[in-house]
Amino acid sequence: MYDRSTQVDRSADSINFGIGQPDFALLPHALMSEVAAERFAEGDTELLNYGFPQGDGRFRWALADFLGRGYGAAVQPQQLMITAGASQALNLICTLLTRPGDTVFVEEPSYFLALRILQEDHRLNAVPIPTDEYGLVPPAVEEALTRHRPVFLYTISTYQNPTGRTLSENRRQQLLALAEAHEFLIVADEVYHLLDFGTPPPDPFAAYADSGKVLSLGSFSKILAPGLRLGWVQTSAQRAGLFAASGLVDSGGGLNQFTSNLVRVALEGGGQKAYLDSLRRAYGQRVQAMDAALHRHIGDRATWTVPAGGFFFWLTCSDHFLAAASSLPAGSAPGRFDTTDLLDAAAGAKVGFLPGRRCSSVGGLGHCLRLCFAHYGIPEIEEGIRRLGQVFDSFH
Amino acid sequence: MYDRSTQVDRSADSINFGIGQPDFALLPHALMSEVAAERFAEGDTELLNYGFPQGDGRFRWALADFLGRGYGAAVQPQQLMITAGASQALNLICTLLTRPGDTVFVEEPSYFLALRILQEDHRLNAVPIPTDEYGLVPPAVEEALTRHRPVFLYTISTYQNPTGRTLSENRRQQLLALAEAHEFLIVADEVYHLLDFGTPPPDPFAAYADSGKVLSLGSFSKILAPGLRLGWVQTSAQRAGLFAASGLVDSGGGLNQFTSNLVRVALEGGGQKAYLDSLRRAYGQRVQAMDAALHRHIGDRATWTVPAGGFFFWLTCSDHFLAAASSLPAGSAPGRFDTTDLLDAAAGAKVGFLPGRRCSSVGGLGHCLRLCFAHYGIPEIEEGIRRLGQVFDSFH
């Protein structure tokens, strides 16, 4: 009778590691129910009213305090422009700072839906920059700068989507220097930054918000609940004020007044911090379980590094697997094997993943695939990777 | 200590009819508190999850049913693309369907923040089309079409902001025919359509969603609570699907999953309908009170029509007031009197309004002003219009 309610269908017997979303079972139902009741009991009408365009004042103070502790670097409420999620923040930045045909730099690989926002929604010229295990390669940025004048560079700098890798501290400094020298902005999608599993990452780009070169995107989607559609841009106070003065933001009276009023209670009362810590523990166990299962069932047919945080493993098929797979009839033309070709066999085995090509702005990375370890519990992770191993078996 | 929480400061002793917002005292605090508790008690996790991009399925069914009854014309859930408010819907339309420099037609006057979204955020060429007491003048549209090829025409067709006037049925048909013949879209901002005070308006443009030429914008801001940031576009099912497939919408998993899950309970349980009816009664009384006070304190120094719904009176200063006001030192150059010149005196008298020039895309309409009757109760309306009369006295 109804259309679907949620973004993904999770059929009972399939384990789809292509779903890059939090585990439904871990969603903070009790916490959000409590803070909603508490916020309504406060009795004022601010939560239902048009909000202050840059974002509710008390909420921004609570968020700045929370982020300052999490980042280990002070955050000013005036640097925060509250948005309806990180995707909307990226959309707002594109609307206000770019025109169709403008150039932006993106990581190769990158978040596949961010690429759609940039390339399709805003018709920007996305120039891919190579990455390695320490993230974006600065000499490659320099080389690209000899040919292009980007408005901004879009980086998912910590626990990247899809690779799970983190840009090194040294490279962050190099990129900041390049942004200064070549007058481009760094749009750092830092939505996974607080999801470390024990070892803190380098300082976020958010710590350089006052440079005027940085727009750091954050979101409650990965640390609380995606349905809330609540995020922020941290940038210079001046630029945050400019965003707030846009017609869209002013007309709506802020981009998510009601929800930010509820989440403010979770920030002030400590519920957000406790919930985030529980997620870090849960995901930290899952990453170990997936790594062990990968060793057991995939072995040397692919390589990967164990992510120190975030949501994703990134597998690169090994040369000998590619050579063997390409020579089989089930694969495509020899030497042109693509993990997309594994999807049918995977569906048959009731397991899923995201093919690497979906994460490329230029149709590359066919020899890679992304696995999300956040969406399923450990038994499903172990069973799902066992099934993935069978899919690899059928090509080898 | 904190920045502001809400969009407007309402100082205790000033009555600002320039604030075009619902009365804080009328906001549905109890209703929203109840539906939040009820929705959380349902116990599923859909409300916290990424949603279906086009909007939660059950919510769209409930909204289609509610709108169908309110419009007196069937609404299909497949025609609805759920957004984070009407402003965001307009922003999404501009992003996906226009490029900077494209032409759009706007009403003269129009909603001042919509003009900012079009002209500033999206750098569109907004061509003003004259209106009269029956709304947009079709021959003027035809004349403009000889010189321009607009992507769309933006109209606030029912109880317009700022004039309070409603486009006649006959003119709606003429505009639909012109849109068909000249291949432009009609973006109808119908956020006030359900706020009639007894006499139903003509069918909304939403009733022609299947024509493929219409995008009807709706919102809960005027009928429930603006802080929710919840609205919709009603258009052909095909176009709604295209919007849902954009990177921004897909990446966020719908634009307001959490809040739409709460409001769905208010729709299904009848709370939304009962609340809307209470607003229509309250605003209907206020419009009478403001009309009577205007006759008493402004008299023949301005003309106006009594709005049959919505939020606004639109006053046009009479020629003899303008002639007298312009000859006084307090006014600007003779013959160039502008209601902006009344603002200082109004602040002194502790009353406010929106100068007509703010609602013009071309800096005109200096002889007009907008008064919102929705934001204050009857005693404040009577006192505020008395003060406005004193301001007029000081210029006459």
Side-chain angles (χ1 to χ4, degrees):
Chain A
M1 175 177 176
Y2 298 124
D3 299 336
R4 294 215 317 268
S5 288
T6 53
Q7 192 170 28
V8 293
D9 267 331
R10 235 176 75 169
S11 66
D13 56 353
S14 181
I15 299 170
N16 184 0
F17 297 123
I19 301 174
Q21 302 186 4
D23 189 346
F24 300 165
L26 293 181
L27 288 169
H29 196 268
L31 172 63
M32 286 307 301
S33 179
E34 280 161 31
V35 300
E38 196 174 325
R39 183 63 188 87
F40 275 107
E42 288 184 15
D44 63 83
T45 51
E46 278 174 16
L47 79 169
L48 295 178
N49 208 344
Y50 283 106
F52 187 63
Q54 196 175 329
D56 182 277
R58 287 179 70 186
F59 173 68
R60 282 187 293 126
W61 273 77
L63 178 58
D65 180 68
F66 171 77
L67 290 176
R69 291 167 199 268
Y71 289 164
V75 174
Q76 306 301 325
Q78 295 76 12
Q79 297 173 325
L80 298 171
M81 163 73 216
I82 305 307
T83 69
S87 309
Q88 199 222 19
L90 182 59
N91 180 63
L92 184 67
I93 289 166
C94 291
T95 298
L96 299 180
L97 303 182
T98 73
R99 286 168 178 262
D102 280 352
T103 292
V104 295
F105 286 180
V106 298
E107 295 167 323
E108 175 74 358
S110 185
Y111 171 42
F112 70 105
L113 289 172
L115 293 176
R116 283 233 314 261
I117 293 173
L118 299 171
Q119 295 179 300
E120 297 179 27
D121 295 1
H122 290 276
R123 290 153 282 179
L124 300 174
N125 172 35
V127 173
I129 308 287
T131 60
D132 63 20
E133 68 177 297
Y134 302 106
L136 272 169
V137 179
V141 179
E142 285 189 77
E143 197 278 324
L145 285 167
T146 63
R147 287 174 291 117
H148 301 283
R149 285 189 62 81
V151 179
F152 61 76
L153 175 152
Y154 173 70
T155 172
I156 306 159
S157 28
T158 307
Y159 317 133
Q160 202 232 15
N161 179 358
T163 65
R165 294 170 186 155
T166 295
L167 189 69
S168 70
E169 169 63 24
N170 187 33
R171 291 188 181 182
R172 287 170 198 248
Q173 297 301 331
Q174 292 177 63
L175 288 179
L176 286 163
L178 285 172
E180 196 67 52
H182 294 266
E183 295 184 332
F184 62 87
L185 297 169
I186 295 174
V187 176
D189 187 341
E190 307 201 287
V191 299
Y192 302 101
H193 191 91
L194 295 171
L195 275 176
D196 72 271
F197 304 145
T199 312
D203 279 349
F205 277 106
Y208 305 94
D210 280 341
S211 71
K213 291 295 173 199
V214 166
L215 298 129
S216 165
L217 313 186
S219 172
F220 285 91
S221 291
K222 309 297 187 264
I223 62 174
L224 193 60
L228 299 174
R229 302 285 79 223
L230 186 61
W232 64 89
V233 181
Q234 186 181 345
T235 184
S236 67
Q238 185 194 17
R239 197 183 299 274
L242 286 176
F243 285 165
S246 67
L248 165 66
V249 176
D250 197 5
S251 178
L255 295 170
N256 208 344
Q257 172 73 356
F258 174 70
T259 307
S260 63
N261 266 263
L262 306 192
V263 173
R264 192 250 301 157
V265 177
L267 290 168
E268 290 175 348
Q272 167 67 79
K273 174 70 168 66
Y275 178 70
L276 171 60
D277 288 344
S278 75
L279 282 185
R280 293 164 64 221
R281 281 191 300 273
Y283 293 161
Q285 291 163 355
R286 292 175 183 195
V287 92
Q288 299 304 328
M290 189 174 275
D291 181 49
L294 286 169
H295 278 289
R296 202 153 50 235
H297 300 294
I298 304 295
D300 65 359
R301 293 178 292 186
T303 58
W304 62 89
T305 50
V306 183
F311 272 30
F312 304 111
F313 273 91
W314 180 247
L315 267 60
T316 303
C317 295
S318 61
D319 289 344
H320 70 90
F321 174 74
L322 291 172
S326 298
S327 66
L328 290 174
S332 49
R336 302 274 298 169
F337 176 81
D338 191 307
T339 53
T340 308
D341 300 327
L342 295 176
L343 281 176
D344 282 348
K350 297 192 179 301
V351 66
F353 59 87
L354 191 75
R357 190 144 52 92
R358 294 285 301 278
C359 308
S360 170
S361 55
V362 289
L365 301 168
H367 58 302
C368 299
L369 58 90
R370 188 192 82 173
L371 302 173
C372 174
F373 56 83
H375 191 64
Y376 291 97
I378 289 175
E380 289 94 341
I381 286 174
E382 290 175 342
E383 170 61 18
I385 298 298
R386 190 189 66 76
R387 295 178 191 174
L388 189 66
Q390 291 180 330
V391 174
F392 271 67
D393 292 346
S394 68
F395 278 79
H396 200 245
Chain B
M1 176 176 175
Y2 298 124
D3 301 335
R4 295 214 316 267
S5 288
T6 53
Q7 192 170 28
V8 294
D9 268 331
R10 234 176 76 169
S11 66
D13 56 352
S14 180
I15 299 170
N16 185 0
F17 297 122
I19 300 174
Q21 302 185 3
D23 189 345
F24 299 165
L26 293 182
L27 288 169
H29 196 268
L31 172 63
M32 287 307 301
S33 179
E34 279 161 32
V35 300
E38 196 174 324
R39 183 62 188 86
F40 274 107
E42 289 184 16
D44 62 85
T45 51
E46 279 174 15
L47 78 170
L48 296 178
N49 207 345
Y50 283 106
F52 187 63
Q54 195 175 330
D56 182 276
R58 287 179 69 186
F59 173 68
R60 282 187 292 125
W61 273 77
L63 178 59
D65 180 68
F66 171 78
L67 291 176
R69 292 167 198 267
Y71 289 164
V75 174
Q76 305 302 325
Q78 294 77 12
Q79 297 173 326
L80 298 172
M81 163 73 217
I82 305 307
T83 69
S87 310
Q88 200 222 17
L90 182 60
N91 181 63
L92 184 67
I93 289 167
C94 291
T95 298
L96 298 181
L97 303 182
T98 74
R99 287 168 178 261
D102 280 352
T103 292
V104 294
F105 285 179
V106 298
E107 294 168 323
E108 175 75 359
S110 185
Y111 170 42
F112 70 107
L113 289 173
L115 294 176
R116 283 232 315 260
I117 292 173
L118 299 170
Q119 296 178 301
E120 296 179 28
D121 295 2
H122 290 277
R123 291 152 282 181
L124 300 173
N125 173 35
V127 173
I129 308 289
T131 61
D132 62 20
E133 68 177 296
Y134 303 106
L136 271 170
V137 179
V141 179
E142 286 189 77
E143 197 280 323
L145 285 167
T146 65
R147 287 173 291 117
H148 302 283
R149 284 190 61 81
V151 179
F152 62 76
L153 175 152
Y154 172 73
T155 172
I156 306 158
S157 28
T158 307
Y159 317 132
Q160 202 233 16
N161 179 358
T163 65
R165 294 169 186 156
T166 295
L167 189 69
S168 70
E169 170 62 24
N170 187 34
R171 291 189 182 182
R172 287 169 197 246
Q173 297 301 332
Q174 292 177 65
L175 289 180
L176 285 163
L178 286 173
E180 198 66 54
H182 294 266
E183 296 184 332
F184 63 88
L185 298 168
I186 295 175
V187 176
D189 187 340
E190 308 201 286
V191 298
Y192 301 102
H193 191 91
L194 296 171
L195 275 177
D196 72 272
F197 304 145
T199 311
D203 279 349
F205 277 106
Y208 304 94
D210 279 342
S211 70
K213 290 297 173 199
V214 165
L215 299 130
S216 166
L217 312 186
S219 171
F220 286 90
S221 292
K222 310 295 188 262
I223 62 172
L224 193 61
L228 300 174
R229 302 287 78 225
L230 185 62
W232 64 89
V233 181
Q234 187 182 344
T235 185
S236 67
Q238 185 194 17
R239 197 184 298 277
L242 286 176
F243 286 164
S246 68
L248 165 65
V249 176
D250 198 6
S251 178
L255 295 169
N256 208 343
Q257 171 74 355
F258 174 70
T259 307
S260 63
N261 265 264
L262 306 192
V263 173
R264 192 250 300 158
V265 177
L267 291 168
E268 291 175 348
Q272 167 67 80
K273 174 69 167 66
Y275 178 70
L276 171 60
D277 288 343
S278 75
L279 281 184
R280 294 164 63 220
R281 282 192 298 273
Y283 293 162
Q285 291 163 356
R286 291 176 183 194
V287 91
Q288 298 305 328
M290 189 174 274
D291 181 49
L294 286 169
H295 277 290
R296 202 152 51 236
H297 300 294
I298 304 295
D300 65 359
R301 293 178 293 188
T303 58
W304 62 90
T305 49
V306 183
F311 272 30
F312 304 111
F313 272 91
W314 180 248
L315 268 59
T316 302
C317 295
S318 61
D319 289 344
H320 71 89
F321 174 74
L322 291 173
S326 297
S327 66
L328 291 173
S332 50
R336 303 272 299 168
F337 175 81
D338 190 308
T339 52
T340 308
D341 300 327
L342 295 175
L343 281 176
D344 282 348
K350 296 191 180 302
V351 66
F353 60 86
L354 191 74
R357 189 144 53 92
R358 294 285 300 279
C359 308
S360 171
S361 56
V362 288
L365 301 168
H367 59 302
C368 299
L369 59 91
R370 188 192 81 174
L371 302 172
C372 175
F373 56 83
H375 191 64
Y376 291 97
I378 289 175
E380 289 94 340
I381 285 174
E382 291 175 340
E383 170 61 17
I385 298 297
R386 191 189 65 76
R387 294 178 191 173
L388 189 65
Q390 292 180 331
V391 174
F392 271 66
D393 292 347
S394 68
F395 278 79
H396 200 246

